[in-house]
Amino acid sequence: MQALPQSLQVAQGAGKVRPVEIMPGLAVGAGQPVVIAGPCSVESAEQILAAAVAVQQAGARILRGGVFKPRTSPYSFQGLGRQGLELLAEAGQHTGLPVVTEVLDVRDLELTCRYADVLQIGSRNMQNFPLLQEVGTVDKPVILKRGFAATIEEWFLAAEYILAKGNRRVILCERGIRTYEPATRNTLDLAAVVLTHLQTHLPVIVDPSHACGRRELVVPLARAALAAGADGLMIEVHPCPVKALSDGQQSLDPEEFQGLMTELGFGRSE
Ligand code: PEP
Ligand code: MN
C-alpha cells in the first residue's frame, strides 16, 4: 500500500492520533485505551440492563447493543428497532455509560441519533457511501468498522467520506477480515492497527469478538490488540451467552469479562 495522498483529510497529521471526544472527560485516542462492551443485540429490558451493570462494574466506559441487526439470513433475529433504542438508552442512563449502536440505513439515522451517543457503521455497510455521507453531517462520534472484504486503503477512504462532510469524530474499528482460514470467523489483521497510526490521525479500536467468533480467543486477541497499540476494544458481553439471540458463541459472560478487564489492567474508574 502506498502512502495516502497528503491532500486527504484522513492523512493529515498522520503519525499522531487526534483524540475523539465521546463526552466531557471521555475520549478515544487520548492515551488510555477505552473499552466498549455489551451484547451483540438488545433483546429485552432485563438483558440489556444486566449487561450494562456488569460491564460498567468491570470498568467498561461505553455500552454497546445492536438494535438494527445486519443478519446474514433474513430469518434470523433482526433486532428490536425503536424499542431497542429506548431500552439501550435507559440502560445507559441507569449506569451513566454513553451508548453506541449500529445504524444500518439512512432512514433510521435521525431516530438513532435521538438515543445513541455514538453511531456505529457496520462491516457490511463500510462502503454504503450515502450512509457515510449522511453520518458525516451529524454531530455524533462514528465508529467505522472495516468491511470484511475491504483493503486498508478502502477503509481509510470510507473514513474520508465521513470527514469530507465535516464530521471529524471518526474512530476506526478493525474487526477481522475474511480469509481462506475457516478455524476462526474472520482473521484479525493487527497490521491494520499499526498502519492506521502510521498513515492517519484517527484513533483505532479492535473488536476481537467478531474477528475470531470464538469466546476462548477473545482475551488473547484483546491483549494482542493492545500490544499493537489499539486505542480501545469492543467486546461482546451477554448476561447468559447460551441464550443470546445473536453471536452467543463469541460473547463473554460477566465473569469472563471481569477477568479480561482485570488481566488487561482496567480497573473501575470510580
Ligand atoms: C456488531 O458489532 O454486532 C456487528 C454486526 O459487527 P460487524 O459489522 O463488524 O459484523
Ligand atoms: Mn455481533
Side-chain angles (χ1 to χ4, degrees):
M1 176 188 172
Q2 303 204 322
L4 294 169
Q6 282 305 300
S7 55
L8 292 181
Q9 290 196 38
V10 70
Q12 282 162 23
K16 189 170 183 337
V17 178
R18 270 186 221 152
V20 168
E21 183 172 80
I22 305 296
M23 61 183 208
L26 178 61
V28 178
Q32 173 68 8
V34 170
V35 178
I36 302 167
C40 180
S41 303
V42 176
E43 299 170 3
S44 67
E46 297 72 32
Q47 175 253 12
I48 189 61
L49 193 59
V53 169
V55 303
Q56 192 270 343
Q57 286 184 349
R61 304 300 305 276
I62 303 175
L63 174 66
R64 65 151 285 150
V67 304
F68 302 109
K69 295 306 299 178
R71 304 306 300 282
T72 302
S73 166
Y75 306 114
S76 299
F77 177 60
Q78 300 286 309
L80 295 181
R82 176 193 277 264
Q83 191 207 350
L85 286 173
E86 289 168 6
L87 298 177
L88 179 66
E90 275 169 26
Q93 273 156 19
H94 184 81
T95 51
L97 296 177
V99 299
V100 57
T101 198
E102 176 169 352
V103 57
L104 209 52
D105 188 309
V106 174
R107 292 169 294 184
D108 300 322
L109 183 58
E110 206 184 304
L111 176 70
T112 305
C113 282
R114 277 188 240 148
Y115 295 94
D117 301 289
V118 181
L119 302 171
Q120 177 173 321
I121 302 291
S123 189
R124 289 154 195 80
N125 264 320
M126 189 205 82
Q127 285 188 315
N128 181 337
F129 299 121
L131 183 59
L132 297 177
Q133 287 176 319
E134 211 58 34
V135 299
T137 66
V138 306
D139 186 20
K140 298 266 181 192
V142 178
I143 294 176
L144 177 62
K145 290 191 137 194
R146 180 176 176 187
F148 57 75
T151 66
I152 294 171
E153 186 172 28
E154 287 164 346
W155 186 33
F156 292 166
L157 288 171
E160 183 74 14
Y161 266 86
I162 303 172
L163 297 171
K165 284 287 178 187
N167 188 344
R168 299 168 67 103
R169 287 195 285 167
V170 178
I171 299 162
L172 294 176
C173 178
E174 160 62 35
R175 46 76 75 205
I177 49 173
R178 183 170 285 180
T179 68
Y180 52 76
E181 177 53 70
T184 50
R185 183 174 180 182
N186 292 287
T187 296
L188 181 59
D189 180 8
L190 288 179
V193 172
V194 182
L195 278 172
T196 300
H197 284 152
L198 289 176
Q199 302 215 355
T200 84
H201 64 267
L202 300 178
V204 57
I205 65 171
V206 168
D207 169 352
S209 307
H210 290 88
C212 65
R214 298 167 57 159
R215 181 175 306 120
E216 69 273 28
L217 296 186
V218 170
V219 175
L221 292 186
R223 196 188 304 129
L226 294 180
D231 299 296
L233 299 168
M234 178 180 272
I235 310 280
E236 284 188 339
V237 179
H238 193 286
C240 182
V242 290
K243 294 205 185 133
L245 297 181
S246 60
D247 286 350
Q249 71 295 339
Q250 68 193 30
S251 299
L252 303 185
D253 66 24
E255 203 177 319
E256 290 165 327
F257 181 65
Q258 176 65 67
L260 174 149
M261 296 297 276
T262 305
E263 184 186 326
L264 299 184
F266 295 99
R268 280 188 68 182
S269 52
E270 68 262 30

